[in-house]
């Protein structure tokens, strides 16, 4: 269990990625700090303290309303929710799910999107502090720019939950996310199994790689998870990176932008594949970048299809591409569950309840709690799942998407 824990909770951060690439040994010294582990949940005593967390004993939808109400009884309970951008599809869903959780429990919410502009996000959070929020939920654009506003949160005794993206700052009490390294591994393992690389003899598959935003700690984790699985096949030449671009810095995509991913893909296609060289795989860290790749391929690729393309999130356009055999898979992360866990952690913080392993058993959500002896903040990490054309219906079955008569899924979350 402990061994597992160390592997899984290893946060590959911007600050330590370079070191990791030189030496993939998982050095304990590379663990990132994001919060004060000693922080007492009772630190913020502005809300009522009579909530018994054990009362809310199921996931979001069935959460006991009485328990939720008691958390919000204190009329000053106001939650600031800072999301990066509405341009990236998933955050619209995150914002909607988070608001739904807090509002249905009687909390007031302030929800902002910061146009992927780190400076604007700091201002938005500062405005939330000025509006006297009691707790902050932040999906950081670039956590290195947030130190001053997080210091201000600390001074004002406002607890912070790092949502989805790690924030390396002591003001952060908890991190709620998915097992992001596992997401990358799932993409890598999908490729190895799909192409049966283990049994490949002389076969060579041509591959290109697109990773995420270097300002986002998750991007390095996704990349490293996948590369750790694929590296042996790259070393033995079964996977051949035609462009030679393998380093994170070379394959990263600022702001996870579809446009950036598309324009880099167009350059690679015209430089290395214009003569009809076959492309077999494009490892893509997420759906917004995968969309850029498929658009570039549609515009100018001379070889034959289909190409194995990975993704992550379950964005509508990508789910359509999966149905149409244009993208092969995506790693789906149940954002509604992520919002539930976040809400429950926030509720525990505000009421002095337990935000630890014991919270998970009452959730009915697959999630691990990790609290290392290093200076990493306690984390709740949910489990992602693989979606392909064969199990698209599973998404509709979650109730988070609806399946149209045309066979395409659309998100049921209001935007
Ligand atoms: C999230 C991904 C998302 C990406 C771009 C990452 O931090 O974990 O789910 O695709 O940001 O929005």
């Amino acid at each position: 269990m402990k061994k597992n824990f160390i592997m899984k909770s290893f946060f590959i951060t911007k600050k330590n990625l370079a070191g990791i690439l030189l030496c993939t040994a998982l050095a304990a010294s590379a663990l990132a700090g994001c919060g004060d582990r000693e922080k007492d949940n009772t630190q913020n005593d502005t809300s009522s303290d009579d909530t018994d967390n054990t009362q809310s004993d199921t996931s979001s939808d069935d959460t006991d309303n009485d328990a939720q109400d008691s958390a919000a009884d204190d009329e000053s309970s106001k939650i600031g929710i800072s999301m990066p951008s509405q341009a990236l599809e998933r955050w619209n869903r995150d914002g909607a799910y988070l608001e739904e959780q807090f509002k249905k429990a009687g909390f007031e919410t302030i929800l902002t999107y910061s146009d992927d502009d780190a400076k604007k996000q700091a201002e938005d959070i500062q405005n939330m502090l000025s509006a006297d929020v009691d707790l902050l939920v932040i999906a950081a654009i670039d956590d290195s720019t947030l130190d001053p506003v997080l210091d201000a949160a600390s001074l004002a005794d406002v607890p912070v939950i790092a949502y989805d993206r790690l924030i390396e700052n002591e003001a952060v009490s908890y991190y709620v996310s998915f097992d992001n390294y596992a997401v990358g591994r799932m993409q890598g393992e999908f490729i190895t199994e799909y192409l049966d690389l283990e049994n490949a003899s002389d076969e060579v598959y041509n591959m290109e790689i697109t990773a995420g935003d270097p300002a986002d700690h998750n991007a390095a984790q996704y990349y490293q998870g996948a590369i750790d699985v694929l590296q042996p096949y790259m070393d033995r030449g079964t996977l051949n990176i035609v462009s030679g671009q393998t380093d994170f810095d070379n394959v990263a995509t600022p702001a996870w932008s579809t446009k950036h991913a598309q324009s880099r893909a167009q350059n690679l296609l015209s430089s290395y594949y214009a003569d009809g060289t076959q492309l077999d795989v494009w490892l893509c860290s997420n759906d917004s970048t995968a969309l850029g790749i498929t658009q570039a391929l549609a515009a100018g690729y001379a070889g034959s299809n289909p190409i194995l393309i990975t993704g992550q999130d379950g964005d509508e356009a990508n789910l359509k591409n999966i149905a149409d055999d244009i993208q092969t898979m995506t790693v789906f992360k149940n954002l509604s569950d992520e919002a539930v866990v976040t809400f429950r952690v926030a509720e525990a913080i505000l009421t002095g309840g337990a935000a630890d392993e014991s919270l998970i058993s009452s959730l009915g959500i697959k999630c691990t709690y990790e609290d290392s002896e290093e200076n990493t903040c306690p984390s709740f990490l949910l489990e992602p799942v693989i979606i392909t054309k064969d199990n698209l219906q599973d998404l509709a079955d979650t109730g988070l998407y609806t399946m149209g008569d045309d066979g395409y899924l659309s998100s049921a979350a209001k935007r």
Side-chain angles (χ1 to χ4, degrees):
M1 174 70 183
K2 193 69 182 167
K3 249 191 212 155
N4 239 350
F5 161 72
I6 289 171
M7 289 296 293
K8 287 172 69 190
S9 67
F10 178 66
F11 296 127
I12 299 164
T13 70
K14 288 171 280 178
K15 287 178 189 162
N16 64 28
L17 177 68
I20 294 159
L21 297 179
L22 287 173
C23 170
T24 50
L26 302 182
S29 62
L31 282 163
C34 77
D36 180 354
R37 294 187 59 253
E38 303 308 317
K39 205 162 269 177
D40 183 344
N41 286 335
T42 57
Q43 65 178 321
N44 186 317
D45 57 2
T46 55
S47 64
S48 62
D49 60 1
D50 54 356
T51 300
D52 173 1
N53 282 323
T54 58
Q55 287 176 46
S56 305
D57 58 357
T58 54
S59 64
S60 58
D61 294 331
D62 320 313
T63 302
D64 184 293
N65 280 334
D66 294 342
Q68 292 196 351
D69 286 348
S70 65
D73 272 351
D74 182 336
E75 53 186 301
S76 70
S77 290
K78 196 190 284 179
I79 311 296
I81 303 170
S82 170
M83 295 289 112
S85 161
Q86 285 192 288
L88 293 160
E89 190 180 310
R90 68 157 285 184
W91 306 109
N92 296 277
R93 290 198 290 274
D94 291 281
Y97 295 138
L98 284 163
E99 273 211 309
E100 185 190 344
Q101 283 301 312
F102 283 104
K103 281 188 168 161
K104 107 177 160 197
F107 289 88
E108 211 181 304
T109 56
I110 302 175
L111 169 63
T112 57
Y113 291 93
S114 306
D115 305 331
D116 246 317
D117 175 344
K119 194 164 159 268
K120 180 171 179 343
Q121 183 168 43
E123 286 162 9
D124 288 342
I125 295 169
Q126 186 55 60
N127 288 338
M128 290 175 182
L129 291 172
S130 304
D132 284 335
V133 290
D134 296 287
L135 183 140
L136 287 163
V137 176
I138 303 173
I141 295 164
D142 179 349
D143 69 332
S144 66
T145 63
L146 293 180
D147 287 348
V149 76
L150 291 174
D151 289 348
S154 236
L155 269 177
D157 248 349
V158 175
V160 178
I161 298 177
Y163 181 81
D164 202 80
R165 296 174 170 179
L166 187 65
I167 298 175
E168 292 186 286
N169 186 293
E170 296 213 332
V172 176
S173 314
Y174 289 93
Y175 176 47
V176 179
S177 189
F178 285 78
D179 184 339
N180 295 312
Y181 179 77
V183 170
R185 285 198 69 94
M186 285 163 96
Q187 293 167 336
E189 281 156 8
F190 184 90
I191 292 170
T192 58
E193 281 160 32
Y194 195 91
L195 299 175
D196 195 15
L197 296 184
E198 202 44 56
N199 296 311
S201 45
D202 292 341
E203 291 101 322
V204 173
Y205 297 97
N206 290 336
M207 180 170 99
E208 296 298 338
I209 304 169
T210 293
D213 183 354
D216 173 0
H217 292 285
N218 289 351
Q221 294 203 50
Y222 301 138
Y223 167 85
Q224 198 60 48
I227 293 298
D228 283 350
V229 174
L230 299 175
Q231 190 68 55
Y233 304 101
M234 289 157 64
D235 290 346
R236 75 176 76 135
T238 309
L239 288 174
N240 173 38
I241 316 303
V242 177
S243 68
Q245 295 181 13
T246 53
D247 290 352
F248 179 77
D249 289 346
N250 290 334
V251 302
T253 311
W256 296 92
S257 134
T258 300
K259 247 170 84 182
H260 274 110
Q262 178 175 354
S263 98
R264 175 171 167 265
Q266 273 163 350
N267 286 338
L268 293 187
L269 290 174
S270 59
S271 305
Y272 301 99
Y273 295 88
D275 60 357
T277 298
Q278 176 63 29
L279 173 65
D280 301 298
V281 186
W282 205 303
L283 168 68
C284 261
S285 286
N286 87 330
D287 281 353
S288 62
T289 53
L291 196 61
I293 304 312
T294 53
Q295 284 167 358
L297 288 166
Y301 167 60
S304 56
N305 286 299
I307 296 159
L308 194 176
I309 299 174
T310 63
Q312 164 186 197
D313 286 335
D315 287 354
E316 283 177 11
N318 301 74
L319 294 174
K320 182 170 185 297
N321 280 347
I322 290 175
D324 290 342
D325 296 314
I326 295 168
Q327 182 173 325
T328 322
M329 64 88 86
T330 192
V331 179
F332 170 68
K333 302 187 298 188
N334 189 319
L335 307 182
S336 171
D337 285 350
E338 191 175 10
V340 171
V341 175
T342 305
F343 165 71
R344 292 294 299 276
V345 172
E347 183 189 47
I349 294 172
L350 292 171
T351 61
D356 57 22
E357 188 94 47
S358 64
L359 189 142
I360 296 173
S361 54
S362 70
L363 288 175
I365 291 172
K366 282 190 183 157
C367 177
T368 54
Y369 173 72
E370 299 181 350
D371 186 9
S372 86
E373 286 133 27
E374 320 297 329
N375 54 352
T376 309
C377 65
S379 309
F380 290 86
L381 301 180
L382 289 83
E383 264 184 41
V385 294
I386 288 179
I387 294 293
T388 64
K389 189 174 184 171
D390 294 337
N391 64 350
L392 280 172
Q393 182 58 38
D394 289 359
L395 291 186
D397 295 343
T398 63
L400 302 177
Y401 293 83
T402 49
M403 181 66 85
D405 294 339
D406 53 8
Y408 297 134
L409 289 157
S410 51
S411 168
K414 44 189 177 343
R415 303 240 180 105

